[in-house]
Amino acid sequence: ESVTHIEDEAFDEAFENVEGGKIEFKLPQSLTYLGNGAFNCCWNIKQITIPAAVTHIDGNPFFLCAMEQITCESPHFCIENHALLTIDKKYLIAYLGKESSYCIPNTVTHIGKNAFSSNNEGLKHIEIPASVVHIEENAFEYCNALESITCHSNKYVVHENTLYTADKQELILCFSKEKLFIIPETVKRVSFFPYFNFPANIKCFLVPNAIYDDFKCAYEDFGDFDSHIIIITYEYGVFTYREGISN
């Protein structure tokens, strides 16, 4: 009962060999802090309760989980329509539902990191309200079934199945079904790990020369870069083959 903090990825891929299937995991009542991905890939936890003493949650503690029920006793947070939010409903911490479509509440101003990474394999549509002013990194990681986003916020724009900041300097999410994807020359930053966030159907990228190094490094950190994609850079209409497969 003296435990106050559960840090990032503390129980990463834990409980894999639990006998009897899924379990109910009881957090200590002394807990005040939950880290991002604290229960990453904990497929066998079916139920968990956030204790009353919890005052801070960093990111989404439950990404890549298949929990059936999460309850919250903390007065600082609430659960509404399968979403974990701060009590003022301005910060979306995690969406935990299994529906094919989700409309973010119009009270939300911030979408937290990994907010939609909680085993949302069936999520096909997201509606972003006008109230949203900031989307944190990897907010939509692992949303592989996503087909459309409706965005009412003037801080972001959806163009050709891709979510950008309104000035198109930051690429937030791509859900294109094409084999070729062109990153616009306006883009100065890709705010996620490409290996996990670009659809697997994309086999060739046209990348502005200015962000090539950052894009390649981010992809290689998590994936076998050469065996998955072809990458071609461009600048002022000049194209240069960089990496890829020969077949």
Side-chain angles (χ1 to χ4, degrees):
E1 289 294 321
S2 61
V3 175
T4 59
H5 284 55
I6 296 180
E7 302 294 343
D8 294 1
E9 301 184 12
F11 291 97
D12 185 27
E13 298 184 4
F15 315 109
E16 287 188 345
N17 299 312
V18 175
E19 293 184 5
K22 292 189 174 184
I23 62 170
E24 178 181 352
F25 189 85
K26 293 186 178 181
L27 294 171
Q29 292 301 308
S30 55
L31 191 69
T32 60
Y33 172 90
L34 270 173
N36 189 40
F39 296 94
N40 179 35
C41 295
C42 289
W43 303 105
N44 286 327
I45 297 179
K46 69 174 182 179
Q47 184 175 343
I48 203 166
T49 298
I50 299 171
V54 173
T55 57
H56 186 79
I57 298 176
D58 181 23
N60 179 3
F62 311 110
F63 65 76
L64 287 182
C65 289
M67 287 186 223
E68 298 170 5
Q69 183 179 0
I70 295 180
T71 54
C72 182
E73 297 176 348
S74 170
H76 300 282
F77 306 97
C78 65
I79 294 175
E80 181 180 277
N81 295 330
H82 308 292
L84 177 62
L85 306 131
T86 51
I87 195 63
D88 59 7
K89 300 181 183 179
K90 291 184 177 181
Y91 191 99
L92 176 60
I93 298 167
Y95 173 67
L96 308 161
K98 305 302 177 189
E99 290 79 5
S100 61
S101 180
Y102 178 64
C103 181
I104 297 171
N106 59 16
T107 56
V108 171
T109 59
H110 287 65
I111 301 173
K113 56 187 174 183
N114 299 110
F116 285 88
S117 301
S118 297
N119 194 35
N120 296 314
E121 294 181 351
L123 187 61
K124 295 182 178 180
H125 177 75
I126 296 172
E127 186 166 351
I128 300 172
S131 56
V132 170
V133 297
H134 184 66
I135 299 173
E136 295 186 12
E137 292 187 355
N138 298 307
F140 305 100
E141 188 174 19
Y142 299 110
C143 289
N144 300 323
L146 201 62
E147 296 177 356
S148 63
I149 292 177
T150 301
C151 183
H152 302 286
S153 170
N154 62 9
K155 300 295 183 181
Y156 298 93
V157 62
V158 176
H159 179 70
E160 295 183 347
N161 295 323
T162 307
L163 178 65
Y164 301 93
T165 51
D167 58 10
K168 286 193 176 180
Q169 290 193 9
E170 184 172 340
L171 197 162
I172 307 296
L173 174 71
C174 171
F175 47 97
S176 171
K177 304 306 178 185
E178 304 296 329
K179 291 183 178 181
L180 169 67
F181 182 73
I182 303 172
I183 299 178
E185 211 159 8
T186 55
V187 171
K188 308 299 180 188
R189 182 169 181 260
V190 177
S191 65
F192 52 75
F193 299 126
Y195 182 71
F196 289 126
N197 289 272
F198 275 115
N201 53 273
I202 299 177
K203 302 302 181 185
C204 181
F205 291 92
L206 296 185
V207 180
N209 192 59
I211 66 168
Y212 167 72
D213 288 337
D214 290 341
F215 180 86
K216 182 174 182 289
C217 286
Y219 205 104
E220 286 183 321
D221 279 347
F222 291 89
D224 187 354
F225 184 79
D226 289 342
S227 68
H228 282 75
I229 63 171
I230 295 171
I231 184 165
I232 298 170
T233 59
Y234 71 95
E235 187 173 23
Y236 305 117
V238 178
F239 295 86
T240 304
Y241 174 80
R242 289 298 191 109
E243 303 281 350
I245 54 179
S246 58
N247 55 347

